[in-house]
């Protein structure tokens, strides 16, 4: 039996690829098909060799997803709808069972005990917040707004640089040539400009604004990266304070029971002891972020300072993107993942990063020291658990590395051990109350030099106080006032 050629005049007999193309391009389909055939390109062969689904419904679904991706990107530097969807998908990999009543009770009991033990290790009081047991999906939902705060300022600057660099690398008349015979091709090869206009969601079928296309493409790529990283992180974290930054708008102690159980597997430590140790760390960090009101703004201000200082080397970036096909989303995503768009650190950025790393180390060093003091009298395996957590934080996981390559920010404390040693030294000299009093004001915080030489912190602090007192006395003399007394100097 010979095969019959479908009659294009009969809608039901149109080839699958033509049905989809006509549904996408409408009246522009005839011109696009004619141009392809005039160039010696068989649309049927191109469709069969593209790797796309042959079923028209499935193929239409693919194009609908692409169209939705571009439409939802809008003018935001990160496609947050895509980030949210991908983060939820990543969180569910390997299973994300709902938290059982038994797990909720275990977590509540662990936090109850942890708060009692912490009362003897810090002057910072309990928060009064009820501890939570979350699934990975719940962790994603609660923390994604903070990832937006962290990544959007940097992504915005990089997105602008991406448009400028790739836009300038496109040949003149590129948009008009997309549908022309012998046009640039790439991911959109052989499509009439009306198709790209449809993908952008304006429905006009008119000329394509390539800067808009590139901006939305960058937004989608950043959305993929952030969603991938935050979703992966949801499978690695134990609570909401693991990375040293407050990921919740209102601090609440949280544990993810599934992750805690996976961490405890293979350890020669009772599961209850592992849970208690992690609850101590989470509760200590929650006390810190609750009772030191300036700390959250301080940490995020350092991130914003880094973002404001972004300076893109246009020549270097232009050289890097010459090998990137700006019409190929996969190539662009690989380029972003490889870090070629990560900005070069300026001296201002380097200073901001140093302050951020020091602050993260001080936060986690304090949590580490306080947790150890609270755990040692009660948990037989407190020392090995402390060392295990230190090494885990020092190495970082895949998700943290993704964030680092995406926005150039390291979310792990490089100097946790130095910070813990510093806090122990302050405790030894001033006592627990004196140690915790350092958090009363940002000006009292130790600096990088104090991490370099923890034992010299007290002498440097006294010298700074003496210098300030001398200045106060000099000002008092100028103003004719009584000089301040030195009795209460710490």
């Amino acid at each position: 039996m010979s095969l019959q050629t479908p009659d294009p005049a009969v809608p039901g007999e149109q080839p699958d690829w033509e049905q989809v193309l006509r549904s996408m391009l409408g009246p522009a389909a005839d011109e696009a098909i004619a141009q392809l055939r005039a160039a010696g390109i068989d649309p049927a062969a191109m469709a069969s060799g593209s790797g796309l689904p042959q079923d028209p419904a499935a193929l239409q679904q693919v194009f609908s997803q692409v169209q939705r991706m571009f439409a939802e990107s809008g003018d935001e530097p990160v496609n947050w709808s895509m980030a949210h969807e991908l983060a939820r998908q990543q969180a569910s990999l390997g299973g994300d069972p709902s938290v059982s009543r038994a797990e909720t009770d275990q977590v509540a009991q662990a936090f109850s005990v942890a708060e009692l033990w912490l009362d003897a290790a810090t002057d910072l009081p309990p928060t009064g917040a009820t501890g939570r047991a979350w699934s990975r999906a719940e962790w994603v939902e609660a923390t994604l707004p903070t990832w937006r705060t962290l990544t959007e300022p940097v992504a915005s600057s990089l997105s602008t640089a991406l448009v400028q660099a790739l836009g300038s690398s496109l040949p003149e008349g590129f948009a008009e040539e997309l549908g022309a015979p012998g046009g640039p091709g790439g991911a959109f090869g052989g499509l009439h400009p009306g198709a790209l206009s449809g993908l952008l969601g304006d429905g006009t079928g008119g000329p394509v604004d390539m800067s808009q296309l590139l901006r939305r493409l960058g937004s989608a790529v950043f959305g993929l990266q952030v969603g991938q990283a935050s979703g992966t992180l949801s499978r690695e974290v134990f609570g909401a304070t693991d990375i040293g930054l407050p990921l919740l708008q209102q601090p609440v102690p949280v544990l993810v029971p599934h992750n805690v159980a996976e961490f405890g597997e293979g350890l020669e430590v009772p599961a209850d002891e592992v849970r208690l140790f992690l609850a101590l760390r989470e509760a200590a960090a929650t006390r810190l972020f609750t009772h030191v009101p300036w700390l959250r703004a301080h940490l995020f201000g350092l991130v914003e300072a880094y973002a404001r200082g972004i300076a893109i080397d246009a020549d270097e970036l232009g050289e890097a993107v010459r090998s990137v096909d700006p019409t190929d989303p996969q190539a662009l995503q690989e380029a972003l993942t490889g870090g070629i768009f990560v900005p070069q650190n300026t001296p201002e950025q380097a200073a901001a990063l140093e302050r951020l790393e020091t602050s993260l180390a001080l936060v986690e060093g304090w949590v580490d020291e306080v947790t150890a003091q609270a755990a040692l009298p009660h948990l037989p395996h407190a020392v090995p658990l402390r060392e295990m957590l230190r090494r885990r934080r020092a190495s970082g996981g895949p998700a943290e590395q993704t964030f680092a390559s995406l926005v150039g920010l390291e979310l792990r404390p490089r100097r946790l051990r130095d910070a813990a040693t510093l806090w122990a030294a302050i405790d030894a000299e001033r006592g627990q109350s004196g140690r915790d009093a350092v958090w009363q004001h940002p000006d009292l915080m130790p600096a990088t030099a104090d991490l370099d030489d923890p034992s010299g912190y007290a002498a440097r602090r006294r010298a700074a106080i003496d210098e300030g007192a001398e200045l106060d006395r000099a000002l008092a003399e100028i103003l004719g006032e009584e000089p301040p007394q030195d009795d209460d100097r710490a």
Side-chain angles (χ1 to χ4, degrees), residues 242-284:
D242 291 44
I243 65 170
L245 292 170
L247 295 181
L248 304 178
Q249 294 288 342
Q250 296 296 326
V252 175
V254 173
L255 284 182
V256 182
H258 195 54
N259 294 354
V260 173
E262 286 189 349
F263 174 69
E265 291 177 359
L267 300 180
E268 296 181 357
V269 181
D272 289 346
E273 190 172 343
V274 173
R275 189 184 306 111
L276 266 170
F277 188 84
L278 295 176
L280 278 169
R281 287 183 55 86
E282 181 74 5

Side-chain angles (χ1 to χ4, degrees), residues 382-428:
V383 172
L385 284 172
R386 182 188 193 186
E387 181 61 26
M388 193 176 302
L389 265 294
R390 282 180 166 185
R391 293 183 180 182
R392 176 186 172 95
R393 287 295 293 122
S395 61
E400 294 173 72
Q401 294 166 10
T402 299
F403 276 118
S405 66
L406 177 63
V407 298
L409 289 173
E410 294 283 356
L411 298 178
R412 62 180 186 269
R414 298 178 181 273
R415 309 193 64 180
L416 186 154
R417 294 177 187 273
D418 294 334
T421 301
L422 173 61
W423 289 117
I426 297 174
D427 190 350

Side-chain angles (χ1 to χ4, degrees), residues 249-419:
Q249 294 288 342
Q250 296 296 326
V252 175
V254 173
L255 284 182
V256 182
H258 195 54
N259 294 354
V260 173
E262 286 189 349
F263 174 69
E265 291 177 359
L267 300 180
E268 296 181 357
V269 181
D272 289 346
E273 190 172 343
V274 173
R275 189 184 306 111
L276 266 170
F277 188 84
L278 295 176
L280 278 169
R281 287 183 55 86
E282 181 74 5
T286 304
R287 288 191 185 202
L288 183 64
F289 289 125
T290 299
H291 297 297
V292 183
W294 57 265
L295 185 54
R296 178 185 172 89
H298 174 74
L299 293 172
F300 283 90
L302 292 175
V303 175
E304 291 174 4
Y306 170 85
R308 288 195 302 270
I310 285 181
I312 303 295
D313 187 329
D315 293 336
E316 183 173 343
L317 185 58
E319 182 70 25
V321 301
R322 287 178 184 174
S323 60
V324 178
D325 181 356
T327 67
D328 185 351
Q330 181 63 33
L332 183 56
Q333 182 175 352
E334 290 175 357
L336 282 167
T337 305
I340 70 168
F341 295 111
V342 174
Q344 300 297 314
N345 282 343
T346 63
E348 294 76 14
Q349 278 184 298
L353 283 175
E354 181 178 310
R355 293 194 300 272
L356 178 60
E357 289 181 352
T358 298
S359 297
L360 288 175
L362 290 171
V363 168
E364 296 222 28
W366 184 90
V367 171
D368 179 85
E369 179 63 18
V370 169
T371 298
Q373 288 189 15
L376 284 171
H378 307 284
L379 300 180
H381 297 88
V383 172
L385 284 172
R386 182 188 193 186
E387 181 61 26
M388 193 176 302
L389 265 294
R390 282 180 166 185
R391 293 183 180 182
R392 176 186 172 95
R393 287 295 293 122
S395 61
E400 294 173 72
Q401 294 166 10
T402 299
F403 276 118
S405 66
L406 177 63
V407 298
L409 289 173
E410 294 283 356
L411 298 178
R412 62 180 186 269
R414 298 178 181 273
R415 309 193 64 180
L416 186 154
R417 294 177 187 273
D418 294 334

Side-chain angles (χ1 to χ4, degrees), residues 204-249:
T204 63
V208 178
D209 182 346
M210 291 310 299
S211 66
Q212 182 188 27
L213 174 64
L214 290 174
R215 193 176 297 277
R216 292 193 179 185
L217 184 58
S219 174
V221 170
F222 276 112
L224 289 172
Q225 294 293 332
V226 174
Q228 173 80 21
S230 60
T232 302
L233 196 60
S234 74
R235 305 199 307 271
E236 301 174 2
V237 297
F238 304 126
T241 61
D242 291 44
I243 65 170
L245 292 170
L247 295 181
L248 304 178
Q249 294 288 342

